[in-house]
Amino acid sequence: MIIHLWSYLYRHVFRFWIKWILRQLTGKCELQRICDRSKKSAKRALKIEHSLESSKNKVLQSAVHAPEDEVKKYVALIMKEKKIDIQKDTGFSLKLQMCLLQITGYKKLYLDVEDLRKCPYNSSNEGHEKQLIELWNLLMPHEKLKARITKQWCDIGFQGDDPKTDFRGMGMLGLVNLLYFSKHYTHEARQILTRSNNPKLGYSYAIVGINLTEMAYSLLKNGALKTYLYNLVPSVAQMEHFHRFYCYLAYEFDKFWFEEEPESIMYFNQYREKFHEIIKRRLQDYDVVLAL
C-alpha cells in the first residue's frame, strides 16, 4: 500500500517538481540531462523512452510511435516544445534521433515478428514447402527425403511424418528461425543436431527450436529484448537481428542442456524455465552483448 502510494505521488506530484528544479539548476530539460549522463547504449535509449512515455505532453508521448520517416520531424517538434537551443546543445538532436529510431524500430520489429508468427504453415504454399525442404537439405546433406510425408522428419527432431503440424504455435516464425540458423550457422546447426541425438541426453532438435522461438518471441513482446537490441543496433532493428537472437538461444541452450545433464527429457519444461531465467537475468544488464 505504501509503495503504491509513493509511486502515485512520485508520478503525479514529485516528478514534475523535481524535473522543474533540475531544469532551473542545470538549464537543461530531462531529455538533455539523460543524453549528457548516459553513454551510447541501451541505458540511454531506455531512459529516453521512459521519459517520453511518462510525459504529459502529447507531442512527446506520440514520438515513441513515430514512423521511421517522421523521426526527424518529431525531434524538431520535441526541441521546440522543450525550448532547446540547438546552438547551445549541438549534439542533442542527433542523440535523440538515434534513440527514437531504436525505440520506434523495436515496436515495428515486434509487429513484423507478430505477423510472421500469425502466418500459418501452408503445405499448398510453394514458398513454405521450399523453405521446409531447404531446412532438410542443410541439416541432412547426405540423405535425401524419400517423400514429403515421411518418418524421416523425426531425424531432425519433428514429432511426426509431417512437420506442418509442429508449426501451429509459432507459425512460419518457427520455420524461418530454424532455417536461418541452419543457413547462416550451418556447422553449428549440424553439430547441435548431432548432439541432440545423444542416446542419454538427446532431445528433439526441431521441436526444441520451435520452443526457443516462443521464448525469443515472448522476450521481444514483454520488452526484455530492448537491452540486447538497443546495444546491438544503433538505429532501426530488423528481422535479421531477431533471428540472430534465436541463433544465440539455440546455441546456448544446447550447451546448457548438456552441462545440466537432465535425468530425462521428461524434465524438459523444468530445465527450459531455468534456462529462461538465466537469459532474462543476462538481458537485465544495460551493457549486455549476446553473440555466438
Side-chain angles (χ1 to χ4, degrees):
M1 180 66 182
I2 295 176
I3 294 175
H4 289 301
L5 178 60
W6 167 253
S7 179
Y8 176 84
L9 290 173
Y10 176 77
R11 289 197 309 271
H12 297 279
V13 181
F14 299 140
R15 188 171 187 273
F16 170 81
W17 287 108
I18 292 172
K19 288 169 61 178
W20 183 85
I21 291 170
L22 288 173
R23 175 107 195 208
Q24 301 310 305
L25 291 173
T26 65
K28 295 185 176 183
C29 71
E30 183 179 51
L31 295 173
Q32 290 174 289
R33 294 194 302 271
I34 291 171
C35 287
D36 285 346
R37 292 198 311 265
S38 304
K39 64 180 181 179
K40 180 183 173 183
S41 70
K43 188 173 185 179
R44 177 194 290 172
L46 287 166
K47 287 189 172 185
I48 290 290
E49 185 173 15
H50 179 263
S51 178
L52 294 172
E53 290 178 341
S54 302
S55 176
K56 294 180 181 180
N57 186 299
K58 298 299 182 183
V59 172
L60 272 65
Q61 288 179 5
S62 58
V64 298
H65 301 288
E68 183 181 348
D69 59 355
E70 292 188 14
V71 165
K72 283 187 177 180
K73 182 186 82 172
Y74 271 91
V75 170
L77 287 172
I78 290 170
M79 294 185 72
K80 182 179 179 181
E81 289 287 326
K82 305 304 289 184
K83 298 180 174 59
I84 298 172
D85 187 344
I86 194 170
Q87 301 300 323
K88 292 182 179 179
D89 196 344
T90 55
F92 174 74
S93 62
L94 181 58
K95 292 174 183 176
L96 181 60
Q97 182 178 328
M98 289 177 63
C99 288
L100 278 180
L101 285 171
Q102 291 177 308
I103 294 164
T104 58
Y106 188 97
K107 296 180 187 297
K108 176 64 165 56
L109 174 61
Y110 169 70
L111 294 177
D112 292 342
V113 169
E114 181 70 358
D115 285 344
L116 193 54
R117 185 189 72 85
K118 287 182 176 179
C119 177
Y121 183 91
N122 184 357
S123 55
S124 299
N125 185 308
E126 184 178 343
H128 293 186
E129 288 286 285
K130 184 178 179 181
Q131 289 180 75
L132 182 60
I133 299 303
E134 185 179 6
L135 175 65
W136 173 271
N137 290 334
L138 285 166
L139 292 173
M140 304 289 280
H142 305 300
E143 183 177 341
K144 290 186 177 181
L145 279 174
K146 297 175 181 177
R148 167 60 180 79
I149 310 297
T150 171
K151 287 293 184 183
Q152 284 178 283
W153 290 112
C154 296
D155 294 341
I156 61 172
F158 288 103
Q159 293 185 62
D161 56 10
D162 190 351
K164 74 175 184 180
T165 60
D166 295 323
F167 293 122
R168 286 174 184 165
M170 285 290 107
M172 281 299 293
L173 183 63
L175 174 57
V176 172
N177 268 345
L178 285 167
L179 183 58
Y180 185 93
F181 186 42
S182 300
K183 186 182 293 186
H184 295 271
Y185 299 94
T186 309
H187 173 75
E188 289 81 1
R190 290 174 183 171
Q191 185 180 57
I192 291 174
L193 174 61
T194 299
R195 283 161 58 86
S196 74
N197 289 318
N198 184 286
K200 182 180 178 182
L201 298 173
Y203 57 86
S204 298
Y205 175 84
I207 295 301
V208 169
I210 295 170
N211 194 290
L212 292 174
T213 286
E214 191 282 327
M215 184 184 294
Y217 165 77
S218 68
L219 290 167
L220 177 71
K221 184 178 181 179
N222 67 26
L225 272 194
K226 287 179 180 179
T227 50
Y228 162 74
L229 288 172
Y230 289 171
N231 283 328
L232 178 68
V233 190
S235 56
V236 180
Q238 305 293 332
M239 183 68 77
E240 180 184 2
H241 301 118
F242 177 78
H243 294 324
R244 283 162 62 181
F245 179 69
Y246 163 78
C247 295
Y248 172 81
L249 289 183
Y251 188 80
E252 288 296 308
F253 178 80
D254 181 73
K255 287 199 304 182
F256 166 81
W257 183 262
F258 279 88
E259 287 170 0
E260 292 290 319
E261 297 185 348
E263 293 179 20
S264 166
I265 191 64
M266 299 298 291
Y267 295 101
F268 173 78
N269 287 337
Q270 176 183 332
Y271 283 91
R272 190 257 193 204
E273 284 309 305
K274 185 176 180 180
F275 178 70
H276 192 193
E277 289 301 317
I278 290 172
I279 296 300
K280 286 194 291 185
R281 285 197 297 273
R282 291 178 186 175
L283 290 170
Q284 288 171 0
D285 180 1
Y286 280 134
D287 298 316
V288 66
V289 176
L290 304 177
L292 265 66

